[in-house]
Amino acid sequence: MAITMKRNFRFYFALLAAKLCRAGLRMLGRQGTNVPGELAILLCKDFLGRIPRPEKVVGITGTNGKTTVANLVEDVLDYYQYDYFCNRNGSNVDTGVASALIAHCTLLGKPKKPLAVFELDERSANRILAYMSPDLLLCTNIFRDSYKRNAHPEFIVDILNRYVPDGVRLVLNADDLMCASLKPQNPRAYFSLCRQPGDGQGSPNIVQDVRVCPQCGAMLQWDFRRYHHIGRAQCPACGFASPPGDYQGLSVDQGRMLVECKGQTCPFPLPNQSTINVYNVLSAVALLAEFGLEPARIAAAMEHSVISATRYKEEEVHGRKVILHLAKGQNPVACSRAFENIRDYPGQKAAILFLDDFFDAQHTVENISWLYDADFEFLADPSVTQVVAAGARHWDVYLRLLMAGVDPDKLSHLPDTEAAAQALRAGEASSVFILYDVYTIPLANRVKDQVKELLRKEAPQGQEPAGHNSHED
């Protein structure tokens, strides 16, 4: 169980200091969303265990998709005018959660709102869930991630199993055997996407972290694998199998997903039909239904969801697309999904890759092993007309692209990220993808504007620029 502690002088001193810090930052016109929490935990190490929690807490964790899912959930709560707060504008580690609690409590620590929704970094469970027990906890999936933090998903499973409090109701991905196996004694609900056209028994991905039965160690038999270890499997030796979904995505077509939800079948809107986005919407539906909202009400609110453009955004210039697509740095699974999305996008495509870790790139030092776990082979598709790799590790990315079978004539690489658009042969593609890390959004937007200017110069004279639309993946 999460540790609960009495409030003492040290706690009140830390809370007052953090409140004053937050007020000072706001007077200076600075966000500083993480700083008050950093100060509070510096002054009172177990601050999260002492500050009163709201009446109800909903947590969202997992390797990929948690920000998108949290935004979807919060948009639905906003639509129905729930009185809640969240860490949407802060960080998802302990200091960000503390900052959100500080911002929405009185001088004595009493919460001002009855509900909190927190995006929670899975690696930080020992610093958050050890002190704060949510009423509902969603886990989107568990994959290997940055080699600096959590390259081994079994390590993350162990952290969550240790620190998710007993009794917390879980909402889990039934198509991810690692995720589905979390805290087996806790109450739970599962979401699952039924077999879709194109789902097969094989998987083209390099990384496959679930090969044997977690109960007896025998080789698993797969009914189908969508990507990596996402799919449905069973053990021929002991009978272990992927659990059935309480919330099942039945079909995906024309921007809608039909979901069987609490005995009802209801269509839900999809920002786009990429597989990871389908799972994001499905997991948000499951969490909101477990929270107590009727499926039809969830669907109605999702029609009005405003999707953040920091994950995926499309803009049109003279009939051609410029697409911003997040590809989390040093995360081979997230990058593989982005590469596959490029391959599957209609028409001829070019891609600009900013794959260096933002912080490592400042010193041109980076562990490049993850490049060989990422499926660059998707970019060897004939529909990809050019790939431009830019950044401190451009030679390493160039080598990996060559090893993936990408035609050398389609490759350009350079150290200067700001000059990436100049290397683009814009006339060869109907769409240009810009892949970027979560910390390089300003760079991606600058290059996007440069690419748009290139496309405008190539357009016939007198043709008016088209509008733009955006979606999130």
Coordinates of all heavy atoms in Angstrom, one line a residue, residues 163-199:
Y163 N 5.6 -1.2 -6.7 CA 5.1 0.1 -6.2 C 3.6 0.4 -6.5 O 3.1 1.4 -5.9 CB 6.0 1.2 -6.6 CG 7.4 1.1 -6.0 CD1 8.5 0.6 -6.7 CD2 7.6 1.4 -4.7 CE1 9.7 0.4 -6.2 CE2 8.9 1.3 -4.1 CZ 9.9 0.8 -4.8 OH 11.1 0.6 -4.3
V164 N 3.0 -0.2 -7.4 CA 1.5 0.0 -7.6 C 0.9 -0.6 -6.3 O 1.1 -1.7 -6.0 CB 1.0 -0.7 -8.8 CG1 -0.5 -0.7 -8.9 CG2 1.5 -0.1 -10.1
P165 N 0.1 0.2 -5.6 CA -0.4 -0.2 -4.3 C -1.4 -1.4 -4.5 O -2.1 -1.5 -5.6 CB -1.1 1.0 -3.8 CG -0.5 2.2 -4.5 CD -0.1 1.7 -5.8
D166 N -1.5 -2.3 -3.6 CA -2.5 -3.3 -3.6 C -3.9 -2.7 -3.6 O -4.1 -1.7 -2.9 CB -2.3 -4.2 -2.4 CG -1.0 -5.0 -2.3 OD1 -0.4 -5.1 -3.4 OD2 -0.6 -5.4 -1.2
G167 N -4.8 -3.3 -4.3 CA -6.2 -2.9 -4.3 C -6.5 -1.8 -5.3 O -7.7 -1.6 -5.6
V168 N -5.5 -1.2 -6.0 CA -5.8 -0.2 -7.0 C -6.4 -0.9 -8.2 O -5.9 -1.9 -8.7 CB -4.5 0.6 -7.4 CG1 -4.8 1.4 -8.6 CG2 -4.0 1.4 -6.2
R169 N -7.5 -0.3 -8.7 CA -8.2 -0.9 -9.9 C -7.4 -0.5 -11.1 O -7.1 0.7 -11.3 CB -9.6 -0.4 -10.0 CG -10.3 -1.1 -11.2 CD -11.8 -1.0 -11.1 NE -12.5 -1.7 -12.2 CZ -12.7 -3.0 -12.3 NH1 -12.2 -3.8 -11.4 NH2 -13.3 -3.5 -13.4
L170 N -7.0 -1.5 -11.9 CA -6.2 -1.3 -13.1 C -7.0 -1.4 -14.3 O -7.9 -2.2 -14.4 CB -5.0 -2.3 -13.1 CG -4.1 -2.4 -11.8 CD1 -3.2 -3.6 -12.0 CD2 -3.4 -1.1 -11.6
V171 N -6.6 -0.6 -15.3 CA -7.1 -0.7 -16.7 C -5.9 -1.0 -17.6 O -5.0 -0.2 -17.7 CB -7.8 0.6 -17.2 CG1 -8.3 0.4 -18.6 CG2 -8.9 1.0 -16.2
L172 N -5.9 -2.2 -18.2 CA -4.7 -2.8 -18.8 C -4.9 -3.2 -20.2 O -6.0 -3.6 -20.6 CB -4.2 -4.0 -18.0 CG -3.9 -3.7 -16.5 CD1 -3.5 -5.1 -15.8 CD2 -2.7 -2.7 -16.3
N173 N -3.8 -3.2 -21.0 CA -3.8 -3.6 -22.4 C -3.7 -5.1 -22.5 O -2.7 -5.7 -22.2 CB -2.6 -3.0 -23.1 CG -2.7 -3.2 -24.6 OD1 -3.3 -4.0 -25.1 ND2 -1.9 -2.3 -25.3
A174 N -4.8 -5.8 -22.9 CA -4.9 -7.2 -22.9 C -4.0 -7.7 -24.1 O -3.7 -8.9 -24.1 CB -6.3 -7.7 -23.1
D175 N -3.7 -6.9 -25.0 CA -2.9 -7.3 -26.2 C -1.4 -7.2 -25.9 O -0.6 -7.5 -26.8 CB -3.3 -6.5 -27.4 CG -4.7 -6.7 -27.8 OD1 -5.3 -7.7 -27.3 OD2 -5.2 -5.8 -28.5
D176 N -1.0 -6.8 -24.7 CA 0.4 -6.7 -24.3 C 0.6 -7.6 -23.1 O 0.1 -7.2 -22.0 CB 0.7 -5.2 -24.0 CG 2.1 -5.0 -23.5 OD1 2.8 -6.0 -23.2 OD2 2.5 -3.8 -23.4
L177 N 1.2 -8.7 -23.3 CA 1.3 -9.7 -22.2 C 2.1 -9.1 -21.0 O 1.8 -9.5 -19.8 CB 1.9 -11.0 -22.6 CG 1.0 -11.9 -23.5 CD1 1.7 -13.0 -24.1 CD2 -0.2 -12.4 -22.6
M178 N 3.0 -8.2 -21.2 CA 3.7 -7.6 -20.1 C 2.8 -6.7 -19.3 O 2.7 -6.8 -18.0 CB 4.9 -6.8 -20.6 CG 6.1 -7.7 -21.0 SD 7.6 -6.6 -21.2 CE 8.7 -7.9 -21.7
C179 N 2.1 -5.9 -20.0 CA 1.1 -5.0 -19.3 C 0.0 -5.8 -18.7 O -0.4 -5.5 -17.5 CB 0.5 -4.0 -20.4 SG -0.6 -2.8 -19.8
A180 N -0.5 -6.8 -19.3 CA -1.7 -7.5 -18.8 C -1.3 -8.3 -17.5 O -2.2 -8.7 -16.7 CB -2.2 -8.5 -19.9
S181 N 0.0 -8.6 -17.3 CA 0.4 -9.4 -16.2 C 0.6 -8.6 -14.9 O 0.9 -9.2 -13.9 CB 1.7 -10.1 -16.6 OG 2.8 -9.2 -16.7
L182 N 0.5 -7.2 -15.0 CA 0.8 -6.4 -13.8 C -0.1 -6.7 -12.6 O -1.3 -6.9 -12.8 CB 0.7 -4.9 -14.2 CG 1.7 -4.3 -15.1 CD1 1.3 -2.9 -15.5 CD2 3.1 -4.4 -14.5
K183 N 0.5 -6.8 -11.4 CA -0.3 -6.9 -10.2 C -1.4 -7.8 -10.3 O -2.6 -7.5 -10.2 CB -0.8 -5.5 -9.7 CG 0.3 -4.5 -9.4 CD 1.1 -4.9 -8.2 CE 0.3 -4.6 -6.9 NZ 1.1 -4.7 -5.7
P184 N -1.2 -9.1 -10.5 CA -2.2 -10.1 -10.8 C -3.3 -10.2 -9.7 O -4.5 -10.6 -10.1 CB -1.5 -11.5 -10.9 CG -0.2 -11.2 -10.2 CD 0.2 -9.8 -10.4
Q185 N -3.1 -9.8 -8.5 CA -4.1 -9.8 -7.5 C -5.0 -8.6 -7.4 O -6.1 -8.6 -6.8 CB -3.5 -10.0 -6.1 CG -2.6 -11.3 -6.0 CD -3.3 -12.5 -6.4 OE1 -4.5 -12.8 -6.0 NE2 -2.7 -13.4 -7.2
N186 N -4.6 -7.6 -8.2 CA -5.5 -6.3 -8.1 C -6.7 -6.5 -9.0 O -6.6 -7.2 -10.1 CB -4.6 -5.1 -8.6 CG -3.7 -4.6 -7.6 OD1 -3.2 -5.3 -6.7 ND2 -3.5 -3.3 -7.6
P187 N -7.8 -5.8 -8.7 CA -8.9 -5.8 -9.6 C -8.6 -5.1 -10.9 O -7.7 -4.2 -10.9 CB -10.0 -5.0 -8.8 CG -9.2 -4.2 -7.8 CD -8.0 -5.0 -7.5
R188 N -9.2 -5.5 -12.0 CA -8.7 -5.0 -13.3 C -9.8 -5.0 -14.4 O -10.8 -5.8 -14.2 CB -7.5 -5.8 -13.8 CG -7.8 -7.3 -14.1 CD -6.6 -8.1 -14.1 NE -5.8 -8.0 -13.0 CZ -4.5 -7.7 -13.0 NH1 -3.8 -7.7 -14.2 NH2 -3.8 -7.6 -11.9
A189 N -9.6 -4.2 -15.4 CA -10.4 -4.3 -16.6 C -9.4 -4.3 -17.8 O -8.4 -3.6 -17.7 CB -11.4 -3.2 -16.7
Y190 N -9.7 -5.0 -18.9 CA -8.8 -5.1 -20.0 C -9.4 -4.4 -21.2 O -10.7 -4.5 -21.5 CB -8.5 -6.5 -20.4 CG -7.7 -7.3 -19.4 CD1 -8.2 -8.3 -18.6 CD2 -6.3 -7.0 -19.2 CE1 -7.5 -9.0 -17.7 CE2 -5.6 -7.7 -18.3 CZ -6.1 -8.7 -17.5 OH -5.4 -9.4 -16.6
F191 N -8.6 -3.8 -22.1 CA -9.0 -3.4 -23.4 C -8.2 -4.1 -24.4 O -7.1 -4.5 -24.2 CB -8.9 -1.9 -23.6 CG -7.5 -1.3 -23.4 CD1 -6.6 -1.2 -24.5 CD2 -7.0 -0.9 -22.1 CE1 -5.3 -0.7 -24.3 CE2 -5.8 -0.4 -22.0 CZ -4.9 -0.3 -23.1
S192 N -8.9 -4.4 -25.6 CA -8.2 -5.2 -26.6 C -8.8 -4.8 -28.0 O -10.0 -4.4 -28.1 CB -8.5 -6.7 -26.4 OG -8.0 -7.5 -27.4
L193 N -7.9 -4.9 -29.0 CA -8.3 -4.6 -30.4 C -8.4 -5.9 -31.1 O -7.4 -6.6 -31.2 CB -7.4 -3.7 -31.1 CG -7.6 -3.3 -32.5 CD1 -9.0 -2.6 -32.6 CD2 -6.5 -2.4 -33.1
C194 N -9.6 -6.3 -31.6 CA -9.8 -7.6 -32.3 C -8.9 -7.6 -33.5 O -8.5 -6.6 -34.0 CB -11.3 -7.7 -32.6 SG -12.4 -7.9 -31.2
R195 N -8.8 -8.9 -34.0 CA -8.0 -9.0 -35.2 C -8.6 -8.2 -36.4 O -9.8 -8.3 -36.6 CB -7.9 -10.5 -35.6 CG -7.0 -10.8 -36.7 CD -6.7 -12.3 -36.9 NE -5.7 -12.6 -37.9 CZ -5.0 -13.7 -37.9 NH1 -5.2 -14.7 -37.0 NH2 -4.1 -13.9 -38.9
Q196 N -7.7 -7.5 -37.0 CA -8.1 -6.6 -38.1 C -7.5 -7.1 -39.4 O -6.6 -7.9 -39.4 CB -7.6 -5.2 -37.8 CG -8.1 -4.6 -36.5 CD -9.6 -4.4 -36.5 OE1 -10.2 -3.7 -37.4 NE2 -10.2 -5.0 -35.5
P197 N -8.1 -6.7 -40.6 CA -7.5 -7.1 -41.8 C -6.0 -6.7 -41.9 O -5.6 -5.6 -41.5 CB -8.3 -6.3 -42.9 CG -9.6 -6.0 -42.2 CD -9.3 -5.9 -40.7
G198 N -5.2 -7.6 -42.3 CA -3.7 -7.3 -42.4 C -3.0 -7.8 -41.2 O -1.7 -7.9 -41.2
D199 N -3.7 -8.2 -40.1 CA -3.0 -8.8 -38.9 C -2.6 -10.2 -39.3 O -3.4 -11.0 -39.7 CB -3.9 -8.8 -37.7 CG -4.0 -7.4 -37.1 OD1 -3.1 -6.5 -37.3 OD2 -5.1 -7.1 -36.4

